[in-house]
Amino acid sequence: MSDKGALVLFSGGVDSTTALALAVSEMGSGSVTALSVSYGQKHVKEIEAAKKLSRYFNVRLIQLDLSEIFKFSGCSLLGRNSGEEIPKESYAEQLKKTNGSPVSTYVPFRNGLFLSAAAAYAMSLGADEILYGAHSDDAAGNAYPDCSEAFNTAMNTAIYEGTGGAVRIRAPFVGLTKAEVVRQGVGLGVPYELTWSCYEGQDEPCRVCGTCRDRRAAFLANGLDLY
Amino acid sequence: MSDKGALVLFSGGVDSTTALALAVSEMGSGSVTALSVSYGQKHVKEIEAAKKLSRYFNVRLIQLDLSEIFKFSGCSLLGRNSGEEIPKESYAEQLKKTNGSPVSTYVPFRNGLFLSAAAAYAMSLGADEILYGAHSDDAAGNAYPDCSEAFNTAMNTAIYEGTGGAVRIRAPFVGLTKAEVVRQGVGLGVPYELTWSCYEGQDEPCRVCGTCRDRRAAFLANGLDLY
């Protein structure tokens, strides 16, 4: 737990909203800042959800646009690549096709970049902890190599050393499945109906992309009938 | 040496220009991209130098503005903090006063952020190597913790793991002093008169800030009468 203040890497999805609720429950909303990064994703609904939820939790929200950095990427998540279809399969099925390479929704080194930006903000604001909603399902296979334990460990060391010991990453859910994250969130009173996960940029969740499927399963495992 | 292409983290200063010259000598200019990041620094002359030098070496230059991320920082390098004076002392003298904490020209986790952005670009462009001009003088004391060997090692691992093994950092000067970097650069024909290092945003180098002093000493050690 942080002494000085926490910065939560916050997308408005299930995992990072649970991390935000945890930080607020530990420290009070005045010591917590949420950082929401847009990167040219199709799902700008995420950003609307981040705004609603930061108001709900009464925390300061910093918004940052890093889409410029991904302008050469062919990732299917990016709005500019509107011809690229987002896979309608579970991650396990997608990984069979990629032969262990990252899936088409991998955004190049996104988490490394977001955590580095969070470290810069945290140090400027005098916060000593970055909260990050990584959990064990994300790291399965090699779908998202920037969610792996090897990545998380090295990035944590890089941030601790590179800030002269001023900032640490804390990933409280790293040993949990998404269903277990939701179980914790239910205990913390997270309003999951306000969160947004779908990769498609429509008004309603598509219910068939990998992230819609995963989210639905985690809710059902906790007796929540939500999409 | 890279197989597929190199991205050089490029400020237009002495060290990164030497790294750019090394990459071009190894691979040819068509396989090399330079990435120049502005972060709100007073010394925008750096960016002009980066443009001139990328034309000189005939490499593609990508320019990125990350100044938004540092808007809460009190670092004396940032143009917005125009009341903050840049120290007119060597780093060793500055460190005596900070008691081992970072010096006032430390920009929070700047190198971590720049390397992460470079990893994202490298992966999008199909380059497998990030060249980075870190050398042993930068890491002295704890002036810049994001230049330390512990940071470099961890960041290298984070980038390798987080890109699924697609991108590595290479810091060819990490065991060299700045004077030894210049010696290599002289052998590579680097036009050091086009580089810019001074932290003050004036037309001419101030000749008294830490980086002006270091640069001058490295040139003199190689028989170059330049500022």
Side-chain angles (χ1 to χ4, degrees):
Chain A
M1 197 173 133
S2 158
D3 292 327
K4 296 183 174 173
L7 187 81
V8 182
L9 202 48
F10 182 55
S11 72
V14 167
D15 315 315
S16 67
T17 303
T18 311
L20 186 66
L22 180 65
V24 169
S25 78
E26 287 176 348
M27 316 183 64
S29 57
S31 302
V32 178
T33 302
L35 172 65
S36 175
V37 188
S38 54
Y39 53 96
Q41 66 269 57
K42 289 177 183 168
H43 45 319
V44 286
K45 291 276 287 188
E46 238 188 50
I47 297 158
E48 290 170 35
K51 285 186 191 169
K52 272 185 211 162
L53 284 156
S54 60
R55 279 196 296 270
Y56 179 91
F57 286 107
N58 196 28
V59 298
R60 173 184 191 175
L61 175 67
I62 296 175
Q63 294 182 273
L64 174 68
D65 185 347
L66 293 181
S67 55
E68 173 72 11
I69 294 176
F70 300 107
K71 69 181 177 185
F72 303 112
S73 166
C75 168
S76 65
L77 277 198
L78 304 176
R80 166 176 71 59
N81 298 326
S82 52
E84 290 288 320
E85 203 162 324
I86 293 172
K88 308 260 179 295
E89 297 162 313
S90 73
Y91 290 117
E93 285 162 346
Q94 291 179 47
L95 281 166
K96 278 185 209 153
K97 295 188 189 167
T98 65
N99 251 327
S101 291
V103 297
S104 81
T105 49
Y106 169 74
V107 182
F109 206 58
R110 185 185 69 174
N111 289 350
L113 186 64
F114 288 10
L115 288 166
S116 295
Y121 277 116
M123 207 165 171
S124 301
L125 295 169
D128 59 353
E129 194 174 80
I130 299 166
L131 253 91
Y132 167 50
H135 58 77
S136 63
D137 292 357
D138 279 341
N142 194 31
Y144 295 106
D146 58 346
C147 292
S148 68
E149 196 182 326
F151 164 76
N152 282 326
T153 303
M155 199 69 211
N156 196 5
T157 305
I159 286 179
Y160 184 75
E161 294 292 340
T163 60
V167 180
R168 285 176 190 277
I169 299 178
R170 181 172 154 219
F173 311 140
V174 82
L176 306 184
T177 64
K178 196 176 189 84
E180 290 166 337
V181 173
V182 171
R183 186 174 320 147
Q184 246 194 70
V186 169
L188 292 163
V190 172
Y192 283 115
E193 67 282 4
L194 300 181
T195 65
W196 182 268
S197 305
C198 179
Y199 279 162
E200 300 279 0
Q202 310 299 321
D203 281 342
E204 294 293 319
C206 74
R207 305 187 178 193
V208 289
C209 72
T211 188
C212 273
R213 289 173 192 268
D214 283 4
R215 168 187 168 101
R216 172 75 172 162
F219 288 152
L220 287 179
N222 287 283
L224 296 178
D225 185 14
L226 286 175
Y227 280 95
Chain B
M1 196 171 136
S2 159
D3 292 328
K4 296 182 174 171
L7 188 80
V8 181
L9 203 48
F10 182 55
S11 71
V14 167
D15 314 314
S16 67
T17 304
T18 311
L20 186 66
L22 180 64
V24 169
S25 77
E26 287 176 347
M27 317 184 62
S29 58
S31 301
V32 177
T33 303
L35 173 64
S36 174
V37 188
S38 54
Y39 54 94
Q41 66 267 59
K42 289 179 185 167
H43 45 320
V44 287
K45 291 276 288 189
E46 238 188 49
I47 297 159
E48 289 170 35
K51 285 186 192 170
K52 272 186 212 162
L53 284 157
S54 60
R55 278 196 298 270
Y56 179 91
F57 286 108
N58 197 27
V59 297
R60 174 183 191 174
L61 174 67
I62 296 176
Q63 293 182 274
L64 175 68
D65 184 348
L66 293 180
S67 54
E68 172 72 11
I69 294 177
F70 300 107
K71 69 181 177 185
F72 303 112
S73 167
C75 168
S76 64
L77 277 197
L78 304 176
R80 171 175 68 57
N81 299 327
S82 53
E84 290 289 320
E85 202 160 325
I86 294 173
K88 308 256 180 297
E89 296 163 316
S90 72
Y91 289 118
E93 286 162 345
Q94 291 179 46
L95 280 165
K96 278 186 210 153
K97 295 189 187 166
T98 65
N99 250 328
S101 290
V103 296
S104 80
T105 48
Y106 169 74
V107 182
F109 206 58
R110 185 185 70 174
N111 288 351
L113 185 65
F114 287 10
L115 288 166
S116 294
Y121 276 115
M123 207 165 174
S124 301
L125 296 170
D128 58 354
E129 194 174 82
I130 298 166
L131 253 91
Y132 167 48
H135 58 77
S136 64
D137 292 355
D138 278 341
N142 194 31
Y144 295 106
D146 59 346
C147 292
S148 68
E149 196 182 328
F151 164 77
N152 282 327
T153 304
M155 199 68 211
N156 195 6
T157 305
I159 287 179
Y160 184 75
E161 293 294 340
T163 59
V167 180
R168 285 177 189 276
I169 299 178
R170 182 172 153 218
F173 312 139
V174 82
L176 306 185
T177 64
K178 198 177 189 83
E180 290 166 336
V181 173
V182 171
R183 186 172 322 148
Q184 246 194 70
V186 169
L188 291 163
V190 173
Y192 284 117
E193 68 282 5
L194 299 181
T195 66
W196 181 268
S197 305
C198 179
Y199 278 163
E200 301 280 359
Q202 309 301 321
D203 282 343
E204 294 293 318
C206 74
R207 304 185 178 194
V208 289
C209 71
T211 188
C212 274
R213 289 173 191 269
D214 284 3
R215 168 188 168 101
R216 172 76 172 160
F219 288 151
L220 287 179
N222 287 281
L224 295 178
D225 185 14
L226 285 175
Y227 280 95

